Each structure stands twice: as C-alpha cells, then as structure tokens.
C-alpha cells in the first residue's frame, strides 16, 4: 500500500511538473535574433526563433575546428606553430612561430581561451593550410546535417561567406556533446 501511495504521489508530481514546464515553454522568449533549443539526443526542437536564418557565427566556429582536430588528428600529436599560422587578428593563446604544442592543447586553447592562433595552427596541422581546412570543415558540416552553413576559416573571423544558422549550430553542438 505504501508503494502504491508513493507511486501515486510521484506520478502526480510528474504530471504537475510537466504542466508547469509546458506552461513555461509557451512564455519563453529570448532577445537574440535567432535561437533554437533542441534535445541533443533526439534533435527534437523544443524552442525556436528564426532558427534557419543565416548569420555570422564568430568563435562558435571553433567547436567545429575542435571536433575535426580530435576526429582527424591524434590528440597527443605534437605540432609546430608556423609564423603564418600564429599571425592572426583577435584573441590568442600567445603562440609564437616555432612553439611545439599537442593537438589536444590546441583544442583547449580554442575552447577555453578562444585562441584564433590555436585554431589556425590546428588547421595547418590537419590540412596544410586554411583553405584546405575550410574544405574539410564544410564536408564535415554537411556530413552531420548542417545544410545552411559555410565555413571559410577555422576561427570564425568575419567573412561574408562564413555563416551558419542557430539550427545548424545546435546540430554541431549535439555532436560535440557526444564526443
């Protein structure tokens, strides 16, 4: 009898919780021009606002660059930073030409410090140059379902041909969460 009572109380609680969550979701809004909230496992859209509009994506680009570094490279592989790779505008982890660093450290530098130099060194290590790496990025993006995105560089520096959508970035993030 006690188990049935506890089960009934838990069931009522869950029903009320579901009701409250649904009531909240209808009132939810964000100030961003584009947004989407998805279930990372099922890709069910829970909230959306202009989720397919193309926009600049800045440093969130480094999520894709990091995934490629981990999938196509050996995380413990040591690479040497070149002058061409570390000469970049924006944020940096302070790499200098000749520095030796592992791919996993570059990933940390991209994701924790938003290091554009780390993104470039990664691109050179994986593909030899930024143009070839951008091709890898676009192929990978299409493979995971990012159909409204185009990448021109590994760090997210502004370029009219470097863009994505909130929905595509949610797909990318769902892949990253599983990695």
């Amino acid at each position: 009898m006690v188990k049935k009572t506890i089960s009934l109380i838990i069931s009522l609680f869950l029903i009320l919780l579901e009701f409250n969550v649904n009531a909240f979701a209808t009132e939810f809004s964000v100030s961003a021009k584009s947004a989407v909230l998805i279930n990372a496992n099922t890709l069910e859209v829970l909230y959306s606002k202009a989720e397919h509009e193309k926009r600049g994506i800045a440093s969130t680009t480094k999520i894709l660059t990091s995934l490629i570094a981990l999938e196509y490279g050996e995380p413990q592989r040591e690479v040497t930073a070149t002058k061409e790779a570390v000469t970049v505008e924006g944020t940096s982890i302070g790499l200098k030409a000749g520095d030796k660093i592992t791919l996993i450290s570059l990933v940390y530098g991209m994701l924790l410090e938003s290091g554009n130099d780390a993104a470039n060194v990664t691109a050179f290590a994986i593909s030899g140059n930024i143009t070839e790496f951008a091709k890898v990025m676009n192929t990978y993006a299409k493979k995971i379902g990012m159909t409204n995105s185009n990448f021109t560089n590994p760090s997210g520096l502004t370029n009219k041909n470097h863009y994505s959508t909130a929905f595509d970035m949610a797909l990318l993030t769902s892949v990253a969460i599983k990695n």
Side-chain angles (χ1 to χ4, degrees), residues 62-73:
K62 293 177 184 111
I63 298 168
L64 179 56
T65 302
S66 295
L67 280 172
I68 292 170
L70 295 172
E71 189 165 320
Y72 295 122

Side-chain angles (χ1 to χ4, degrees), residues 17 41 85 92-93 105 116 136 150 176:
L17 179 63
N41 293 320
S92 167
I93 63 169
S105 294
N116 291 346
V136 173
N150 192 65

Side-chain angles (χ1 to χ4, degrees), residues 27 62 100 127 149:
E27 298 173 22
K62 293 177 184 111
K100 294 187 182 311
S127 299
S149 299

Side-chain angles (χ1 to χ4, degrees), residues 56-58 61 64-65 120 123 129-139 141 149-164:
I57 50 174
T61 298
L64 179 56
T65 302
N120 278 1
N129 63 55
I130 290 174
T131 302
E132 289 303 311
F133 189 76
K135 291 177 186 175
V136 173
M137 294 175 81
N138 287 308
T139 299
S149 299
N150 192 65
F151 299 90
T152 61
N153 64 77
S155 60
L157 291 176
T158 302
N159 180 305
K160 68 178 181 167
N161 294 316
H162 190 95
Y163 57 82
S164 189

